[in-house]
Amino acid sequence: TNTVYVGKSIESGFYMKHKDKPFIYVMDSSASVFFSATNDFLNPYLTPVFEENQTNYAEKFTLNKNGALFIDSSILPEDSRENSSSIHRITYPSDYAVHYMNYYNALSGMSQLTGSEVIEYGVSSKQDKDELFSYYGFDTPSNEASITIDKKTYSFITGNTFTINDVKYYYAYSDYLDIIVALNVQSAPFLSYDLIDFVSQSMFQSNINDVQSIDVTTDGATRTFTLSGEGDALTVVETKTKKPIDTPSFRQLYISLLSVNIEGVSDTTDITNLTPSLSFTVTKKNGNVTTYSFYTLSTTRMLMGVNGSYEFYTSATSIDKIKENVSKLMRGETIQKDY
């Protein structure tokens, strides 16, 4: 062990002396580090470092806002993954495919999320912890993000915001290092995402080979199309009438279902006084059932819902196209390719 005494400061630095030697030295201004606060020696990490393959295969990602669940998502079982880019699914507020870039940017953003400085440390052992949490706005966190990797969950919360030199910060806390830090808002952009930023624009993405049946309801009538076989061997029957459906034409109907895109966030989410236009329920071979419903908002927009949850609107033209194709199938007409 070596002990060094730091004396008073002078213009060129500091006087210093080794405990066991008779000499006095002059150290340059770098010796000022010895006068730094304990906080300055601590890394302002809210989460540990994760490898890319760890975040890409995270078991779960959840985001709460102002104390309420905002988004919940999880990795799909291997036998439910339709392709290599669709391995996660949003499960709350409803069943949505994820927006590939934004969602995985959020997952990667959970790796070694770093504040600009440590404000408090050893927080959980402080006698005034409750008062600290209240002061920094953690009583009802503005955000609480968590990620589960290898069956272990890591999380952090944010509280009040503040601004220094036109830069906005959150107060943020994590039990990973038991610290409160100043977190630049730009360091965690996913905390500012709206729901529409997390979800894929394509509402319905199922491979036709994974579908067992589709129930389509329009104009008060329901048609049930049951699928058998795959690829060139695919056959389709309308169950109630036992009517065989022209497979190439049914594929065009299916394409029109796949073409329904989320256009934006709807101001109206209450369907009480809206007129239903179309709904279709997809039953997959793995037993999963999803219902998509559409209500008229205007001549150009349809409110869209997934399993009874309504957040977005789509183009009325795309819904009218589906209704037209269903009518053609039931009349035995051929649906021509329009691409």
Side-chain angles (χ1 to χ4, degrees):
T1 300
N2 290 287
T3 302
V4 176
Y5 301 124
V6 181
K8 72 176 183 179
S9 62
I10 56 177
E11 185 175 347
S12 57
F14 296 86
Y15 290 121
M16 300 186 70
K17 180 185 181 301
H18 191 284
K19 176 184 176 182
D20 301 321
K21 296 182 180 180
F23 311 109
I24 295 176
Y25 305 91
V26 174
M27 184 69 174
D28 63 25
S29 59
S30 62
S32 62
V33 67
F34 296 113
F35 297 94
S36 298
T38 302
N39 300 30
D40 297 331
F41 292 98
L42 303 176
N43 289 319
Y45 299 151
L46 291 170
T47 56
V49 177
F50 302 119
E51 300 294 333
E52 184 178 4
N53 68 318
Q54 290 181 295
T55 55
N56 284 348
Y57 287 86
E59 291 107 88
K60 191 175 180 65
F61 173 72
T62 301
L63 180 60
N64 292 1
K65 287 184 176 291
N66 301 315
L69 181 60
F70 176 68
I71 186 174
D72 198 6
S73 62
S74 59
I75 195 167
L76 293 168
E78 288 193 30
D79 60 0
S80 297
R81 299 174 192 173
E82 296 178 357
N83 56 63
S84 59
S85 63
S86 298
I87 66 171
H88 287 87
R89 194 84 182 174
I90 291 173
T91 56
Y92 182 88
S94 193
D95 180 50
Y96 294 112
V98 301
H99 185 290
Y100 186 82
M101 182 175 70
N102 290 346
Y103 181 80
Y104 287 99
N105 280 347
L107 296 190
S108 64
M110 292 291 290
S111 176
Q112 200 173 67
L113 186 60
T114 305
S116 60
E117 64 174 314
V118 175
I119 297 173
E120 304 277 357
Y121 63 93
V123 175
S124 63
S125 62
K126 292 181 181 291
Q127 291 186 346
D128 61 346
K129 176 187 174 182
D130 292 341
E131 288 79 4
L132 280 177
F133 264 48
S134 179
Y135 176 79
Y136 291 113
F138 299 141
D139 286 343
T140 303
S142 51
N143 296 282
E144 181 176 3
S146 66
I147 189 170
T148 302
I149 292 176
D150 297 330
K151 300 181 180 180
K152 184 175 181 179
T153 299
Y154 306 85
S155 64
F156 71 94
I157 59 176
T158 66
N160 300 328
T161 59
F162 62 98
T163 302
I164 299 178
N165 297 326
D166 296 325
V167 178
K168 189 175 181 181
Y169 297 87
Y170 295 109
Y171 290 114
Y173 169 78
S174 168
D175 61 4
Y176 169 57
L177 295 180
D178 197 24
I179 55 176
I180 295 173
V181 305
L183 177 66
N184 189 320
V185 168
Q186 296 302 316
S187 297
F190 59 91
L191 295 180
S192 300
Y193 286 177
D194 291 323
L195 176 61
I196 196 170
D197 298 314
F198 278 106
V199 304
S200 170
Q201 183 184 20
S202 299
M203 184 198 67
F204 174 60
Q205 298 183 348
S206 296
N207 188 309
I208 195 170
N209 290 332
D210 298 321
V211 175
Q212 177 176 304
S213 66
I214 300 178
D215 297 302
V216 183
T217 300
T218 178
D219 299 326
T222 299
R223 288 87 172 179
T224 299
F225 300 100
T226 301
L227 288 65
S228 302
E230 296 182 4
D232 294 338
L234 176 67
T235 60
V236 183
V237 173
E238 201 289 311
T239 305
K240 292 182 180 179
T241 62
K242 309 299 183 183
K243 179 180 179 179
I245 301 297
D246 178 61
T247 299
S249 293
F250 181 82
R251 289 186 182 277
Q252 295 308 306
L253 168 63
Y254 199 83
I255 289 172
S256 64
L257 299 179
L258 293 171
S259 299
V260 178
N261 287 330
I262 292 172
E263 302 286 345
V265 178
S266 177
D267 294 328
T268 301
T269 58
D270 185 357
I271 63 173
T272 304
N273 297 315
L274 298 180
T275 302
S277 178
L278 170 79
S279 71
F280 65 93
T281 298
V282 179
T283 301
K284 293 186 178 180
K285 294 175 181 176
N286 63 9
N288 290 341
V289 179
T290 307
T291 298
Y292 305 86
S293 306
F294 304 88
Y295 289 79
T296 303
L297 291 172
S298 68
T299 56
T300 59
R301 291 182 178 179
M302 291 279 180
L303 175 66
M304 57 193 300
V306 181
N307 291 337
S309 180
Y310 299 89
E311 286 92 21
F312 308 114
Y313 67 83
T314 188
S315 164
T317 302
S318 63
I319 304 308
D320 291 340
K321 182 68 173 179
I322 295 172
K323 294 169 70 174
E324 177 188 350
N325 285 344
V326 171
S327 295
K328 285 182 177 181
L329 284 183
M330 297 311 296
R331 292 195 302 264
E333 298 179 17
T334 300
I335 303 176
Q336 302 294 336
K337 296 180 180 179
D338 56 2
Y339 57 91

